[in-house]
Coordinates of all heavy atoms in Angstrom, one line a residue:
M182 N 160.7 144.1 22.0 CA 160.9 144.2 23.5 C 159.6 144.9 24.1 O 159.1 145.8 23.5 CB 162.1 145.1 23.8 CG 162.9 144.4 24.9 SD 164.4 145.3 25.3 CE 164.4 145.2 27.0
S183 N 159.2 144.4 25.2 CA 158.0 145.0 25.8 C 158.3 146.4 26.5 O 159.5 146.7 26.7 CB 157.4 144.1 26.9 OG 158.4 143.7 27.8
K184 N 157.3 147.1 26.8 CA 157.4 148.4 27.4 C 158.2 148.4 28.7 O 158.0 147.5 29.5 CB 156.0 149.0 27.7 CG 155.6 150.1 26.7 CD 154.2 150.6 27.1 CE 154.5 151.9 27.9 NZ 153.5 152.5 28.6
P185 N 159.0 149.4 28.9 CA 159.7 149.4 30.2 C 158.7 149.7 31.4 O 157.7 150.4 31.1 CB 160.7 150.5 30.1 CG 160.2 151.4 29.0 CD 159.4 150.5 28.1
I186 N 159.0 149.2 32.5 CA 158.2 149.4 33.7 C 159.0 149.9 34.8 O 160.3 149.8 34.8 CB 157.4 148.1 34.1 CG1 158.5 146.9 34.2 CG2 156.4 147.7 33.1 CD1 157.9 145.6 34.8
L187 N 158.4 150.4 35.9 CA 159.2 150.6 37.1 C 158.3 150.2 38.3 O 157.3 150.8 38.7 CB 159.4 152.1 37.3 CG 160.3 152.5 38.5 CD1 161.7 151.8 38.4 CD2 160.5 154.0 38.6
I188 N 158.7 149.0 38.8 CA 157.9 148.3 39.8 C 158.8 147.8 40.9 O 159.8 147.3 40.7 CB 157.1 147.1 39.2 CG1 155.9 147.7 38.3 CG2 156.6 146.2 40.2 CD1 155.3 146.6 37.5
N189 N 158.3 148.1 42.2 CA 158.9 147.5 43.3 C 158.2 146.2 43.6 O 157.1 146.1 44.0 CB 158.8 148.5 44.5 CG 159.4 147.9 45.8 OD1 160.0 146.8 45.8 ND2 159.2 148.6 46.9
V190 N 158.9 145.1 43.2 CA 158.3 143.8 43.3 C 157.9 143.4 44.8 O 156.9 142.8 45.1 CB 159.1 142.7 42.7 CG1 158.5 141.3 42.8 CG2 159.4 143.0 41.2
T191 N 158.8 143.9 45.7 CA 158.4 143.7 47.1 C 157.1 144.3 47.4 O 156.3 143.7 48.2 CB 159.5 144.4 48.0 OG1 160.8 144.1 47.6 CG2 159.3 144.0 49.5
E192 N 156.8 145.4 46.9 CA 155.5 146.1 47.1 C 154.3 145.2 46.6 O 153.3 145.1 47.3 CB 155.5 147.5 46.4 CG 154.2 148.3 46.6 CD 154.2 149.6 45.9 OE1 155.3 150.2 45.8 OE2 153.2 150.0 45.4
E193 N 154.5 144.7 45.4 CA 153.4 143.9 44.8 C 153.2 142.6 45.7 O 152.0 142.3 46.0 CB 153.8 143.4 43.4 CG 153.7 144.5 42.4 CD 153.8 143.9 41.0 OE1 154.6 142.9 40.8 OE2 153.1 144.4 40.1
I194 N 154.2 142.0 46.2 CA 154.1 140.8 47.0 C 153.5 141.2 48.4 O 152.5 140.5 48.8 CB 155.5 140.1 47.2 CG1 155.9 139.5 45.8 CG2 155.4 139.1 48.3 CD1 157.2 138.9 45.8
V195 N 153.9 142.3 49.0 CA 153.4 142.7 50.3 C 151.9 143.0 50.2 O 151.1 142.6 51.0 CB 154.2 143.9 50.8 CG1 153.5 144.6 52.0 CG2 155.6 143.4 51.3
L196 N 151.5 143.8 49.1 CA 150.1 144.1 48.9 C 149.2 142.8 48.9 O 148.2 142.8 49.6 CB 149.9 144.9 47.6 CG 150.2 146.4 47.7 CD1 150.3 147.0 46.3 CD2 149.1 147.1 48.5
G197 N 149.6 141.8 48.2 CA 148.9 140.6 48.0 C 148.8 139.9 49.4 O 147.8 139.4 49.8
L198 N 150.0 139.8 50.1 CA 150.0 139.1 51.3 C 149.2 139.7 52.4 O 148.6 139.1 53.2 CB 151.5 138.9 51.8 CG 152.3 137.9 51.0 CD1 153.8 137.9 51.5 CD2 151.8 136.5 51.2
V199 N 149.2 141.1 52.4 CA 148.5 141.8 53.5 C 147.0 141.5 53.3 O 146.3 141.2 54.2 CB 148.8 143.3 53.4 CG1 147.7 144.1 54.2 CG2 150.2 143.6 54.0
R200 N 146.5 141.6 52.0 CA 145.1 141.3 51.8 C 144.7 139.9 52.2 O 143.7 139.6 52.8 CB 144.8 141.4 50.3 CG 144.7 142.9 49.9 CD 143.9 143.2 48.7 NE 143.9 144.6 48.4 CZ 144.7 145.1 47.4 NH1 145.3 144.3 46.6 NH2 144.7 146.4 47.2
F201 N 145.6 138.9 51.8 CA 145.4 137.5 52.1 C 145.3 137.3 53.6 O 144.4 136.7 54.1 CB 146.5 136.7 51.5 CG 146.4 135.2 51.8 CD1 145.5 134.4 51.2 CD2 147.3 134.7 52.8 CE1 145.5 133.1 51.6 CE2 147.2 133.4 53.2 CZ 146.3 132.6 52.5
L202 N 146.3 137.9 54.3 CA 146.4 137.7 55.8 C 145.2 138.3 56.5 O 144.6 137.6 57.4 CB 147.7 138.3 56.3 CG 148.9 137.4 56.3 CD1 150.1 138.2 56.8 CD2 148.7 136.1 57.2
L203 N 144.8 139.5 56.1 CA 143.7 140.1 56.8 C 142.4 139.4 56.6 O 141.4 139.6 57.3 CB 143.6 141.6 56.3 CG 144.6 142.6 56.9 CD1 144.4 143.9 56.3 CD2 144.6 142.6 58.4
H204 N 142.3 138.6 55.5 CA 141.1 137.9 55.3 C 141.2 136.4 55.8 O 140.2 135.6 55.6 CB 140.7 137.9 53.8 CG 140.3 139.2 53.3 ND1 141.0 140.0 52.5 CD2 139.2 139.9 53.6 CE1 140.4 141.1 52.2 NE2 139.3 141.1 52.9
S205 N 142.3 136.1 56.4 CA 142.4 134.7 57.0 C 141.9 134.7 58.4 O 141.8 135.7 59.1 CB 143.9 134.3 56.9 OG 144.6 135.0 57.8
P206 N 141.5 133.5 58.8 CA 140.8 133.3 60.1 C 141.5 133.9 61.3 O 140.9 134.5 62.3 CB 140.6 131.8 60.3 CG 140.7 131.3 58.9 CD 141.6 132.2 58.2
G207 N 142.9 133.9 61.3 CA 143.6 134.3 62.4 C 143.6 135.8 62.6 O 144.0 136.3 63.7
Y208 N 143.1 136.6 61.7 CA 143.2 138.1 61.7 C 141.9 138.7 61.7 O 141.8 139.9 61.3 CB 144.2 138.6 60.7 CG 145.6 138.2 60.9 CD1 146.1 137.0 60.4 CD2 146.4 138.9 61.8 CE1 147.4 136.5 60.7 CE2 147.7 138.5 62.1 CZ 148.2 137.3 61.6 OH 149.4 136.9 61.9
Q209 N 140.8 138.0 62.0 CA 139.5 138.6 62.0 C 139.3 139.8 62.9 O 138.4 140.6 62.7 CB 138.4 137.5 62.2 CG 138.3 136.4 61.1 CD 138.2 137.0 59.7 OE1 137.2 137.8 59.5 NE2 139.1 136.8 58.9
T210 N 140.1 139.9 63.9 CA 139.9 140.9 64.9 C 140.5 142.3 64.4 O 140.2 143.3 65.0 CB 140.5 140.6 66.3 OG1 141.9 140.3 66.1 CG2 139.8 139.4 66.9
F211 N 141.3 142.2 63.3 CA 141.9 143.4 62.8 C 141.0 144.0 61.7 O 140.5 143.3 60.9 CB 143.3 143.1 62.3 CG 144.3 142.8 63.4 CD1 144.5 141.4 63.7 CD2 145.0 143.8 64.1 CE1 145.3 141.1 64.8 CE2 145.8 143.4 65.1 CZ 146.0 142.1 65.4
C212 N 141.0 145.3 61.6 CA 140.2 146.0 60.6 C 140.9 145.8 59.2 O 142.1 145.8 59.1 CB 140.2 147.5 60.9 SG 139.3 148.5 59.6
D213 N 140.1 145.5 58.2 CA 140.7 145.2 56.9 C 140.3 146.3 55.9 O 140.2 146.0 54.7 CB 140.4 143.8 56.4 CG 138.9 143.6 56.1 OD1 138.1 144.5 56.5 OD2 138.6 142.6 55.5
C214 N 139.9 147.5 56.3 CA 139.5 148.5 55.4 C 140.7 149.0 54.6 O 141.9 148.7 55.0 CB 138.9 149.7 56.2 SG 140.1 150.8 57.0
E215 N 140.4 149.8 53.6 CA 141.5 150.2 52.7 C 142.5 151.1 53.4 O 143.7 151.0 53.2 CB 140.8 151.1 51.6 CG 141.7 151.3 50.4 CD 141.5 150.2 49.3 OE1 140.6 149.3 49.5 OE2 142.1 150.3 48.3
Y216 N 142.1 151.9 54.4 CA 143.0 152.7 55.1 C 144.0 151.9 55.9 O 145.2 152.1 55.9 CB 142.3 153.6 56.1 CG 141.4 154.7 55.5 CD1 140.0 154.4 55.3 CD2 141.9 155.8 54.9 CE1 139.2 155.4 54.7 CE2 141.1 156.8 54.3 CZ 139.8 156.5 54.2 OH 139.0 157.4 53.6
C217 N 143.5 150.9 56.6 CA 144.4 150.0 57.4 C 145.3 149.2 56.5 O 146.4 149.0 56.9 CB 143.5 149.2 58.4 SG 142.7 150.2 59.7
Q218 N 144.7 148.7 55.4 CA 145.5 147.9 54.5 C 146.7 148.7 54.0 O 147.9 148.2 54.0 CB 144.7 147.4 53.3 CG 143.9 146.2 53.6 CD 143.3 145.7 52.3 OE1 143.8 145.8 51.2 NE2 142.1 145.1 52.4
M219 N 146.5 149.9 53.6 CA 147.6 150.7 53.1 C 148.6 151.1 54.2 O 149.8 151.2 54.0 CB 147.1 152.0 52.4 CG 146.3 151.7 51.1 SD 147.2 150.7 49.9 CE 146.2 149.3 49.7
A220 N 148.0 151.4 55.4 CA 148.9 151.7 56.5 C 149.8 150.5 56.9 O 151.0 150.7 57.1 CB 148.0 152.1 57.7
I221 N 149.2 149.3 56.9 CA 150.0 148.1 57.1 C 151.1 147.9 56.1 O 152.3 147.7 56.4 CB 149.1 146.9 57.2 CG1 148.2 147.0 58.5 CG2 149.9 145.6 57.2 CD1 147.0 146.1 58.4
C222 N 150.7 148.1 54.8 CA 151.7 148.0 53.7 C 152.8 149.0 53.9 O 154.0 148.6 53.7 CB 151.0 148.2 52.4 SG 149.9 146.8 51.9
S223 N 152.5 150.2 54.2 CA 153.5 151.2 54.3 C 154.5 150.9 55.4 O 155.7 151.0 55.3 CB 153.0 152.6 54.4 OG 152.2 152.8 55.6
V224 N 154.0 150.5 56.6 CA 154.9 150.1 57.7 C 155.7 148.9 57.3 O 157.0 149.0 57.5 CB 154.0 149.8 59.0 CG1 154.9 149.2 60.1 CG2 153.3 151.0 59.5
A225 N 155.1 147.9 56.7 CA 155.9 146.7 56.4 C 157.0 147.0 55.3 O 158.1 146.6 55.4 CB 155.0 145.6 55.9
L226 N 156.6 147.9 54.3 CA 157.5 148.2 53.2 C 158.7 149.0 53.7 O 159.8 149.0 53.1 CB 156.8 148.8 52.1 CG 155.9 147.8 51.2 CD1 155.0 148.5 50.3 CD2 156.9 146.9 50.4
N227 N 158.4 149.9 54.7 CA 159.5 150.7 55.2 C 160.5 149.8 56.0 O 161.6 150.3 56.3 CB 159.0 151.8 56.2 CG 158.5 152.9 55.4 OD1 158.9 153.2 54.2 ND2 157.5 153.7 56.0
N228 N 160.1 148.6 56.3 CA 161.0 147.7 57.0 C 161.6 146.6 56.2 O 162.2 145.6 56.7 CB 160.3 147.1 58.2 CG 160.1 148.2 59.3 OD1 161.0 148.8 59.8 ND2 158.8 148.4 59.7
L229 N 161.3 146.7 54.9 CA 161.8 145.6 54.0 C 162.6 146.2 52.9 O 162.4 147.4 52.5 CB 160.6 144.9 53.3 CG 159.9 143.9 54.2 CD1 158.5 143.6 53.6 CD2 160.7 142.6 54.5
P230 N 163.6 145.5 52.3 CA 164.4 146.0 51.2 C 163.5 146.2 50.0 O 162.6 145.3 49.7 CB 165.5 145.0 51.0 CG 165.1 143.8 51.7 CD 164.0 144.1 52.7
T231 N 163.7 147.2 49.2 CA 163.0 147.4 48.0 C 163.6 146.5 46.9 O 164.7 146.0 47.1 CB 163.1 148.8 47.4 OG1 164.5 149.2 47.3 CG2 162.4 149.8 48.3
Y232 N 162.8 146.2 45.9 CA 163.3 145.3 44.8 C 162.7 145.8 43.5 O 161.7 145.3 43.0 CB 162.9 143.9 45.1 CG 163.7 142.8 44.3 CD1 164.2 141.7 45.0 CD2 164.0 143.0 43.0 CE1 165.0 140.8 44.3 CE2 164.8 142.1 42.3 CZ 165.3 141.0 43.0 OH 166.0 140.0 42.3
Y233 N 163.3 146.9 43.0 CA 162.8 147.5 41.8 C 163.3 146.8 40.5 O 164.4 146.3 40.5 CB 163.3 149.0 41.7 CG 162.3 149.9 42.5 CD1 162.7 150.3 43.8 CD2 161.1 150.3 42.0 CE1 161.8 151.1 44.5 CE2 160.3 151.1 42.7 CZ 160.6 151.5 43.9 OH 159.8 152.3 44.7
V234 N 162.4 146.7 39.6 CA 162.7 146.2 38.3 C 162.2 147.1 37.2 O 161.3 147.9 37.4 CB 162.1 144.7 38.1 CG1 162.7 143.8 39.0 CG2 160.6 144.8 38.2
S235 N 162.8 147.0 36.0 CA 162.3 147.8 34.9 C 161.9 147.0 33.6 O 161.5 147.6 32.6 CB 163.4 148.8 34.5 OG 164.6 148.1 34.1
T236 N 161.9 145.7 33.7 CA 161.4 144.9 32.6 C 160.6 143.7 33.1 O 160.7 143.3 34.3 CB 162.6 144.2 31.8 OG1 163.3 143.3 32.6 CG2 163.6 145.3 31.3
S237 N 159.7 143.2 32.3 CA 158.8 142.1 32.7 C 159.6 140.9 33.0 O 159.3 140.2 34.0 CB 157.9 141.8 31.6 OG 157.1 142.9 31.2
D238 N 160.7 140.6 32.3 CA 161.5 139.5 32.6 C 162.2 139.6 33.9 O 162.2 138.6 34.7 CB 162.7 139.4 31.5 CG 162.1 138.8 30.2 OD1 160.9 138.5 30.1 OD2 162.9 138.8 29.2
A239 N 162.7 140.8 34.3 CA 163.3 141.0 35.6 C 162.3 140.8 36.7 O 162.6 140.3 37.8 CB 163.9 142.4 35.7
R240 N 161.0 141.2 36.4 CA 159.9 141.0 37.3 C 159.7 139.6 37.6 O 159.5 139.2 38.8 CB 158.7 141.7 36.8 CG 157.5 141.7 37.7 CD 156.4 142.5 37.1 NE 155.2 142.4 37.8 CZ 154.0 142.5 37.2 NH1 153.9 142.6 35.9 NH2 152.9 142.4 37.9
E241 N 159.6 138.8 36.6 CA 159.4 137.3 36.8 C 160.6 136.7 37.6 O 160.3 136.0 38.6 CB 159.5 136.6 35.4 CG 158.3 137.0 34.5 CD 157.0 136.7 35.0 OE1 156.8 135.6 35.6 OE2 156.1 137.6 34.9
E242 N 161.8 137.2 37.3 CA 162.9 136.7 38.1 C 162.8 137.1 39.6 O 163.1 136.3 40.5 CB 164.2 137.2 37.5 CG 164.9 136.3 36.5 CD 166.0 137.0 35.8 OE1 166.9 137.5 36.6 OE2 166.1 137.0 34.6
A243 N 162.4 138.3 39.8 CA 162.3 138.9 41.1 C 161.3 138.1 41.9 O 161.5 137.8 43.1 CB 161.9 140.3 41.1
Y244 N 160.2 137.7 41.3 CA 159.2 136.9 41.9 C 159.8 135.6 42.4 O 159.5 135.1 43.5 CB 158.0 136.6 41.0 CG 156.9 137.6 41.3 CD1 156.7 138.8 40.6 CD2 155.9 137.3 42.3 CE1 155.7 139.6 40.8 CE2 154.9 138.2 42.5 CZ 154.8 139.3 41.8 OH 153.8 140.2 42.1
L245 N 160.5 135.0 41.5 CA 161.1 133.7 41.9 C 162.1 133.8 43.0 O 162.2 133.0 43.9 CB 161.9 133.1 40.7 CG 161.0 132.7 39.5 CD1 161.9 132.1 38.3 CD2 160.0 131.6 39.9
T246 N 162.9 134.9 43.0 CA 163.8 135.2 44.1 C 163.1 135.4 45.4 O 163.5 134.9 46.5 CB 164.7 136.4 43.8 OG1 165.3 136.2 42.5 CG2 165.8 136.6 44.8
L247 N 162.1 136.3 45.4 CA 161.4 136.7 46.6 C 160.5 135.7 47.2 O 160.2 135.7 48.4 CB 160.7 138.0 46.4 CG 161.6 139.3 46.2 CD1 160.7 140.5 45.7 CD2 162.3 139.6 47.5
K248 N 160.0 134.8 46.3 CA 159.0 133.9 46.8 C 159.6 132.6 47.3 O 158.9 131.5 47.4 CB 158.0 133.6 45.7 CG 157.0 134.8 45.6 CD 155.6 134.4 45.4 CE 154.7 135.6 45.6 NZ 153.3 135.2 45.4
T249 N 160.8 132.6 47.7 CA 161.4 131.4 48.4 C 160.9 131.3 49.8 O 160.5 132.3 50.4 CB 162.9 131.4 48.4 OG1 163.3 132.6 49.2 CG2 163.6 131.6 47.0
Q250 N 160.9 130.1 50.3 CA 160.4 129.9 51.7 C 161.0 130.9 52.7 O 160.4 131.5 53.5 CB 160.7 128.5 52.1 CG 160.1 128.0 53.4 CD 158.5 128.0 53.3 OE1 158.0 127.8 52.2 NE2 157.8 128.3 54.4
E251 N 162.4 131.0 52.6 CA 163.1 131.9 53.5 C 162.7 133.3 53.4 O 162.5 134.0 54.4 CB 164.6 131.7 53.1 CG 165.6 132.0 54.2 CD 167.0 132.0 53.7 OE1 167.2 131.3 52.6 OE2 167.9 132.6 54.3
N252 N 162.6 133.8 52.2 CA 162.2 135.3 52.0 C 160.8 135.5 52.4 O 160.5 136.5 53.0 CB 162.5 135.7 50.5 CG 163.9 135.9 50.3 OD1 164.7 136.4 51.1 ND2 164.4 135.7 49.0
L253 N 159.9 134.5 52.1 CA 158.5 134.7 52.5 C 158.4 134.8 54.0 O 157.5 135.5 54.5 CB 157.6 133.6 51.9 CG 157.3 133.8 50.4 CD1 156.5 132.6 49.9 CD2 156.5 135.1 50.2
E254 N 159.2 134.0 54.7 CA 159.1 134.0 56.2 C 159.5 135.4 56.7 O 158.9 136.0 57.6 CB 160.1 133.0 56.7 CG 159.4 131.7 57.0 CD 160.3 130.6 57.4 OE1 161.3 130.9 58.2 OE2 160.1 129.4 57.0
V255 N 160.5 136.0 56.1 CA 161.0 137.4 56.5 C 159.9 138.4 56.2 O 159.5 139.2 57.1 CB 162.3 137.8 55.8 CG1 162.6 139.2 56.1 CG2 163.4 136.8 56.2
I256 N 159.3 138.3 55.0 CA 158.3 139.2 54.6 C 157.0 139.1 55.5 O 156.5 140.1 56.0 CB 157.9 139.0 53.1 CG1 159.1 139.4 52.2 CG2 156.7 139.9 52.7 CD1 159.0 139.0 50.7
N257 N 156.6 137.8 55.7 CA 155.5 137.6 56.6 C 155.7 138.1 58.0 O 154.8 138.7 58.6 CB 155.2 136.1 56.6 CG 154.1 135.7 55.6 OD1 153.1 136.4 55.4 ND2 154.4 134.7 54.9
K258 N 156.9 138.0 58.5 CA 157.2 138.5 59.9 C 157.0 140.0 59.9 O 156.4 140.5 60.9 CB 158.6 138.1 60.3 CG 158.7 137.1 61.4 CD 160.1 136.9 61.8 CE 160.4 135.5 62.0 NZ 161.8 135.1 62.1
K259 N 157.5 140.7 58.9 CA 157.4 142.2 58.9 C 155.9 142.6 58.8 O 155.5 143.6 59.4 CB 158.2 142.8 57.7 CG 159.7 142.5 57.8 CD 160.3 143.3 58.9 CE 161.9 143.1 58.9 NZ 162.5 143.5 60.1
I260 N 155.2 141.8 58.0 CA 153.7 142.2 57.8 C 153.0 141.9 59.1 O 152.2 142.8 59.5 CB 153.1 141.3 56.6 CG1 153.7 141.8 55.3 CG2 151.6 141.5 56.6 CD1 153.3 140.9 54.1
I261 N 153.2 140.8 59.7 CA 152.5 140.5 61.0 C 152.8 141.6 62.0 O 151.9 142.1 62.7 CB 152.8 139.1 61.5 CG1 152.2 138.1 60.5 CG2 152.4 138.9 62.9 CD1 152.7 136.7 60.6
A262 N 154.1 142.0 62.1 CA 154.4 143.1 63.1 C 153.7 144.4 62.7 O 153.2 145.1 63.6 CB 156.0 143.3 63.0
A263 N 153.6 144.6 61.4 CA 152.9 145.9 60.9 C 151.4 145.8 61.2 O 150.8 146.8 61.6 CB 153.1 146.0 59.4
I264 N 150.8 144.6 61.1 CA 149.4 144.5 61.4 C 149.1 144.8 62.8 O 148.2 145.5 63.2 CB 148.9 143.0 61.0 CG1 148.8 142.8 59.5 CG2 147.5 142.7 61.7 CD1 148.5 141.4 59.1
H265 N 150.0 144.3 63.7 CA 149.8 144.6 65.1 C 150.0 146.0 65.4 O 149.3 146.6 66.2 CB 150.7 143.7 66.0 CG 150.2 142.3 66.0 ND1 149.3 141.8 66.9 CD2 150.5 141.2 65.2 CE1 149.0 140.5 66.7 NE2 149.7 140.1 65.6
E266 N 151.1 146.6 64.8 CA 151.4 148.0 65.1 C 150.2 148.9 64.6 O 149.8 149.8 65.4 CB 152.6 148.4 64.3 CG 153.2 149.8 64.8 CD 154.4 150.2 64.0 OE1 155.3 149.3 63.7 OE2 154.6 151.4 63.7
V267 N 149.7 148.7 63.4 CA 148.6 149.5 62.9 C 147.3 149.2 63.7 O 146.6 150.2 64.0 CB 148.4 149.3 61.4 CG1 147.1 149.9 60.9 CG2 149.6 149.8 60.6
G268 N 147.1 148.0 64.0 CA 145.9 147.6 64.8 C 145.8 148.3 66.1 O 144.8 148.7 66.6
K269 N 147.0 148.5 66.7 CA 147.0 149.1 68.1 C 146.6 150.6 68.0 O 146.0 151.1 68.9 CB 148.5 149.1 68.6 CG 148.7 148.1 69.7 CD 150.0 148.2 70.3 CE 151.1 147.6 69.5 NZ 152.5 147.8 69.9
K270 N 146.9 151.3 66.9 CA 146.5 152.7 66.8 C 145.6 153.0 65.6 O 145.7 154.1 65.1 CB 147.8 153.5 66.7 CG 148.8 153.1 65.8 CD 150.1 154.0 65.9 CE 151.1 153.5 64.9 NZ 152.5 154.0 65.1
A271 N 144.8 152.0 65.3 CA 143.8 152.3 64.2 C 142.9 153.5 64.7 O 142.3 153.3 65.8 CB 142.9 151.1 64.0
N272 N 142.9 154.6 64.0 CA 142.3 155.8 64.6 C 141.2 156.3 63.7 O 141.0 157.5 63.6 CB 143.4 156.8 64.9 CG 144.1 157.2 63.6 OD1 143.9 156.6 62.6 ND2 145.0 158.2 63.7
H273 N 140.6 155.5 63.0 CA 139.4 155.9 62.2 C 138.2 155.4 62.8 O 138.2 154.5 63.6 CB 139.6 155.5 60.7 CG 139.7 154.0 60.6 ND1 138.6 153.2 60.8 CD2 140.7 153.3 60.2 CE1 139.0 152.0 60.5 NE2 140.3 152.0 60.3
T274 N 137.0 155.9 62.4 CA 135.8 155.5 63.0 C 134.8 154.8 62.0 O 133.6 154.9 62.2 CB 135.1 156.7 63.7 OG1 135.0 157.8 62.7 CG2 135.8 157.2 64.9
I275 N 135.4 154.3 60.9 CA 134.5 153.6 59.9 C 134.0 152.3 60.5 O 134.8 151.6 61.1 CB 135.3 153.4 58.6 CG1 135.7 154.7 58.0 CG2 134.5 152.6 57.6 CD1 136.8 154.6 57.0
Ligands
ZN156 ZN1 140.5 150.2 59.1

């Protein structure tokens, strides 16, 4: 059996989607620095259910469950709202 893990699969998916969205043409006006990326992820993740797993197999299953069209739409909506919320009060001077 492989080593046990403790991973929130929602977090992994959100991190990937936030990076992807911030680099897509529609979001060029938003800052994509590390600070803003993490701020966006934290806002989005506080508005989404967690999905913790402790084995690699469960992680694979969680990916299949979370990556359905329906779930991705919900996740994307929360991320887009978070991008706008963070973008409104981006308060760093980098
Ligand atoms: Zn920034």
Side-chain angles (χ1 to χ4, degrees):
M182 227 177 136
S183 55
K184 255 184 96 186
I186 51 174
L187 184 61
I188 286 173
N189 178 4
V190 181
T191 311
E192 182 183 323
E193 288 193 320
I194 290 176
V195 166
L196 279 166
L198 286 175
V199 166
R200 285 205 183 103
F201 174 78
L202 273 176
L203 285 177
H204 290 111
S205 68
Y208 292 89
Q209 291 308 300
T210 55
F211 292 92
C212 179
D213 67 348
C214 78
E215 199 90 0
Y216 294 100
C217 290
Q218 274 187 32
M219 292 305 122
I221 291 162
C222 289
S223 65
V224 171
L226 284 166
N227 280 335
N228 288 307
L229 285 164
T231 55
Y232 200 134
Y233 277 98
V234 293
S235 60
T236 66
S237 304
D238 285 353
R240 184 175 170 214
E241 298 299 315
E242 268 173 50
Y244 262 93
L245 294 179
T246 307
L247 288 172
K248 289 221 162 179
T249 61
Q250 189 65 28
E251 205 186 338
N252 283 328
L253 280 178
E254 266 172 37
V255 173
I256 294 170
N257 267 314
K258 247 186 224 165
K259 298 290 184 194
I260 291 174
I261 289 162
I264 288 174
H265 286 272
E266 193 181 322
V267 170
K269 255 190 277 171
K270 49 185 179 191
N272 59 355
H273 58 71
T274 51
I275 297 164

